[in-house]
Amino acid sequence: MTPNGLVPHIDLGPLLPELPEFLAGLLLLGLMWIIVAKAVAPRFEQLYEKRSSEIEGGIQHAEQVQAEAAKAREQYQAQLSEVRESAAKAREDAKTRSAEILRDAKNEAAQEQARMIAEARAQIASEREIAAGQLITQVGGLATTLAGRIVGESLDDDERAKRTVERFLKELENQPARNQTIGK
Protein backbone atom coordinates (compact mmCIF):
# COMPACT_ATOMS: atom_id res chain seq x y z
CA MET A 1 0.00 0.00 0.00
CA THR A 2 0.97 3.44 -0.65
CA PRO A 3 1.14 6.19 1.99
CA ASN A 4 -2.10 7.72 0.72
CA GLY A 5 -3.93 4.34 1.37
CA LEU A 6 -4.40 3.37 -2.25
CA VAL A 7 -3.51 0.10 -3.77
CA PRO A 8 -0.56 0.59 -6.01
CA HIS A 9 -1.24 0.09 -9.61
CA ILE A 10 0.91 -2.48 -11.23
CA ASP A 11 1.80 -1.76 -14.71
CA LEU A 12 1.62 -4.98 -16.72
CA GLY A 13 2.58 -3.29 -19.88
CA PRO A 14 1.89 -5.36 -22.97
CA LEU A 15 0.47 -8.13 -20.82
CA LEU A 16 -2.43 -6.00 -19.70
CA PRO A 17 -5.45 -7.19 -21.73
CA GLU A 18 -7.68 -4.83 -23.51
CA LEU A 19 -11.28 -4.73 -22.38
CA PRO A 20 -12.75 -6.33 -25.54
CA GLU A 21 -10.14 -9.11 -25.39
CA PHE A 22 -10.87 -9.58 -21.71
CA LEU A 23 -14.61 -9.81 -22.30
CA ALA A 24 -14.11 -12.20 -25.23
CA GLY A 25 -11.91 -14.37 -23.02
CA LEU A 26 -14.54 -14.37 -20.30
CA LEU A 27 -17.24 -15.24 -22.84
CA LEU A 28 -15.16 -18.10 -24.26
CA LEU A 29 -14.40 -19.31 -20.76
CA GLY A 30 -18.11 -19.34 -19.92
CA LEU A 31 -18.89 -21.07 -23.23
CA MET A 32 -16.21 -23.69 -22.53
CA TRP A 33 -17.63 -24.13 -19.03
CA ILE A 34 -21.10 -24.76 -20.42
CA ILE A 35 -19.78 -27.22 -23.05
CA VAL A 36 -17.76 -29.11 -20.43
CA ALA A 37 -20.69 -29.07 -17.98
CA LYS A 38 -23.26 -30.20 -20.57
CA ALA A 39 -21.29 -32.56 -22.80
CA VAL A 40 -18.01 -33.67 -21.31
CA ALA A 41 -18.92 -33.97 -17.61
CA PRO A 42 -22.01 -36.15 -18.25
CA ARG A 43 -19.86 -38.46 -20.40
CA PHE A 44 -17.34 -38.68 -17.60
CA GLU A 45 -20.17 -39.34 -15.12
CA GLN A 46 -21.58 -42.05 -17.40
CA LEU A 47 -18.19 -43.70 -17.72
CA TYR A 48 -17.70 -43.38 -13.97
CA GLU A 49 -21.13 -44.92 -13.28
CA LYS A 50 -20.48 -47.65 -15.83
CA ARG A 51 -17.13 -48.48 -14.27
CA SER A 52 -18.64 -48.32 -10.78
CA SER A 53 -21.50 -50.62 -11.76
CA GLU A 54 -19.06 -53.03 -13.42
CA ILE A 55 -16.94 -53.04 -10.30
CA GLU A 56 -20.03 -53.48 -8.11
CA GLY A 57 -21.24 -56.25 -10.43
CA GLY A 58 -17.82 -57.88 -10.20
CA ILE A 59 -17.92 -57.61 -6.43
CA GLN A 60 -21.45 -59.03 -6.34
CA HIS A 61 -20.41 -61.79 -8.72
CA ALA A 62 -17.39 -62.53 -6.54
CA GLU A 63 -19.62 -62.62 -3.45
CA GLN A 64 -22.06 -64.89 -5.28
CA VAL A 65 -19.22 -67.19 -6.33
CA GLN A 66 -17.96 -67.18 -2.73
CA ALA A 67 -21.45 -68.03 -1.48
CA GLU A 68 -21.72 -70.86 -4.03
CA ALA A 69 -18.27 -72.09 -3.05
CA ALA A 70 -19.26 -72.01 0.64
CA LYS A 71 -22.46 -73.90 -0.18
CA ALA A 72 -20.50 -76.45 -2.23
CA ARG A 73 -18.02 -76.80 0.65
CA GLU A 74 -20.89 -77.37 3.09
CA GLN A 75 -22.37 -80.00 0.76
CA TYR A 76 -18.96 -81.62 0.46
CA GLN A 77 -18.56 -81.61 4.24
CA ALA A 78 -22.04 -83.10 4.63
CA GLN A 79 -21.29 -85.81 2.06
CA LEU A 80 -17.93 -86.48 3.69
CA SER A 81 -19.67 -86.77 7.05
CA GLU A 82 -22.23 -89.17 5.56
CA VAL A 83 -19.45 -91.25 4.00
CA ARG A 84 -17.60 -91.35 7.31
CA GLU A 85 -20.76 -92.38 9.14
CA SER A 86 -21.46 -95.00 6.48
CA ALA A 87 -17.90 -96.33 6.75
CA ALA A 88 -18.17 -96.46 10.54
CA LYS A 89 -21.48 -98.28 10.28
CA ALA A 90 -20.00 -100.69 7.74
CA ARG A 91 -17.08 -101.36 10.09
CA GLU A 92 -19.48 -101.99 12.98
CA ASP A 93 -21.63 -104.25 10.79
CA ALA A 94 -18.52 -106.14 9.70
CA LYS A 95 -17.41 -106.55 13.33
CA THR A 96 -20.87 -107.75 14.31
CA ARG A 97 -21.04 -110.11 11.34
CA SER A 98 -17.55 -111.48 12.04
CA ALA A 99 -18.51 -112.06 15.68
CA GLU A 100 -21.65 -113.88 14.52
CA ILE A 101 -19.66 -115.96 12.05
CA LEU A 102 -17.11 -116.79 14.74
CA ARG A 103 -19.85 -117.70 17.21
CA ASP A 104 -21.60 -119.84 14.58
CA ALA A 105 -18.31 -121.53 13.69
CA LYS A 106 -17.63 -122.26 17.37
CA ASN A 107 -21.14 -123.65 17.80
CA GLU A 108 -20.76 -125.81 14.71
CA ALA A 109 -17.35 -127.00 15.91
CA ALA A 110 -18.79 -127.81 19.34
CA GLN A 111 -21.70 -129.68 17.74
CA GLU A 112 -19.32 -131.54 15.43
CA GLN A 113 -17.10 -132.36 18.40
CA ALA A 114 -20.08 -133.62 20.39
CA ARG A 115 -21.26 -135.68 17.40
CA MET A 116 -17.78 -137.14 16.90
CA ILE A 117 -17.49 -137.95 20.62
CA ALA A 118 -20.92 -139.58 20.58
CA GLU A 119 -19.98 -141.60 17.50
CA ALA A 120 -16.66 -142.59 19.08
CA ARG A 121 -18.42 -143.63 22.29
CA ALA A 122 -20.98 -145.61 20.32
CA GLN A 123 -18.21 -147.24 18.31
CA ILE A 124 -16.25 -147.99 21.49
CA ALA A 125 -19.37 -149.46 23.12
CA SER A 126 -20.04 -151.53 20.01
CA GLU A 127 -16.46 -152.73 19.85
CA ARG A 128 -16.57 -153.44 23.60
CA GLU A 129 -19.70 -155.55 23.12
CA ILE A 130 -18.09 -157.35 20.19
CA ALA A 131 -14.88 -157.86 22.19
CA ALA A 132 -16.89 -158.99 25.21
CA GLY A 133 -18.85 -161.42 23.04
CA GLN A 134 -15.66 -162.76 21.50
CA LEU A 135 -14.05 -162.96 24.92
CA ILE A 136 -17.06 -164.78 26.32
CA THR A 137 -16.94 -167.20 23.39
CA GLN A 138 -13.21 -167.78 23.79
CA VAL A 139 -13.38 -167.98 27.58
CA GLY A 140 -16.40 -170.25 27.27
CA GLY A 141 -14.53 -172.53 24.90
CA LEU A 142 -11.50 -172.58 27.14
CA ALA A 143 -13.66 -173.06 30.21
CA THR A 144 -15.52 -176.01 28.72
CA THR A 145 -12.28 -177.59 27.56
CA LEU A 146 -10.72 -177.05 30.97
CA ALA A 147 -13.84 -178.20 32.77
CA GLY A 148 -13.99 -181.26 30.57
CA ARG A 149 -10.42 -182.14 31.45
CA ILE A 150 -10.99 -181.53 35.15
CA VAL A 151 -14.26 -183.42 35.29
CA GLY A 152 -12.97 -186.05 33.00
CA GLU A 153 -15.98 -186.08 30.76
CA SER A 154 -16.62 -184.44 27.45
CA LEU A 155 -18.71 -181.30 27.45
CA ASP A 156 -19.49 -181.38 23.77
CA ASP A 157 -23.17 -181.05 24.51
CA ASP A 158 -23.99 -177.39 23.74
CA GLU A 159 -26.63 -176.98 26.45
CA ARG A 160 -24.42 -178.41 29.11
CA ALA A 161 -21.44 -176.34 27.90
CA LYS A 162 -23.55 -173.18 27.86
CA ARG A 163 -24.70 -173.70 31.43
CA THR A 164 -21.18 -174.40 32.57
CA VAL A 165 -19.85 -171.24 30.84
CA GLU A 166 -22.59 -169.06 32.32
CA ARG A 167 -21.92 -170.39 35.80
CA PHE A 168 -18.17 -169.83 35.35
CA LEU A 169 -18.73 -166.22 34.15
CA LYS A 170 -20.98 -165.47 37.10
CA GLU A 171 -18.29 -166.69 39.42
CA LEU A 172 -15.75 -164.47 37.63
CA GLU A 173 -18.02 -161.46 37.91
CA ASN A 174 -18.49 -162.02 41.63
CA GLN A 175 -14.81 -162.60 42.24
CA PRO A 176 -13.55 -159.03 41.40
CA ALA A 177 -16.31 -157.60 43.54
CA ARG A 178 -15.07 -159.62 46.47
CA ASN A 179 -11.46 -158.59 45.79
CA GLN A 180 -12.48 -154.93 45.71
CA THR A 181 -14.29 -155.13 49.03
CA ILE A 182 -11.34 -156.96 50.58
CA GLY A 183 -8.89 -154.30 49.28
CA LYS A 184 -10.95 -151.57 50.87
Side-chain angles (χ1 to χ4, degrees), residues 3 18 37 47 66 78 92 106 120 138 162:
E18 295 288 327
L47 285 173
Q66 276 185 329
E92 289 300 319
K106 284 182 180 180
Q138 289 176 355
K162 189 175 180 182

Side-chain angles (χ1 to χ4, degrees), residues 120-141:
R121 285 183 178 160
Q123 185 176 359
I124 290 171
S126 171
E127 288 177 3
R128 181 180 287 156
E129 287 177 17
I130 291 172
Q134 289 175 349
L135 185 61
I136 288 172
T137 304
Q138 289 176 355
V139 168

Side-chain angles (χ1 to χ4, degrees), residues 39-92:
V40 176
R43 285 287 282 162
F44 278 128
E45 286 295 322
Q46 285 177 349
L47 285 173
Y48 176 74
E49 288 297 322
K50 183 178 177 186
R51 293 285 178 174
S52 294
S53 66
E54 286 177 0
I55 291 170
E56 287 294 322
I59 291 172
Q60 289 175 355
H61 179 69
E63 288 173 351
Q64 184 180 12
V65 168
Q66 276 185 329
E68 289 173 3
K71 185 177 179 182
R73 184 176 55 237
E74 288 174 7
Q75 289 175 346
Y76 170 75
Q77 293 293 336
Q79 289 174 347
L80 184 62
S81 176
E82 289 175 10
V83 167
R84 286 181 180 158
E85 288 175 9
S86 175
K89 186 177 183 224
R91 276 193 306 272
E92 289 300 319

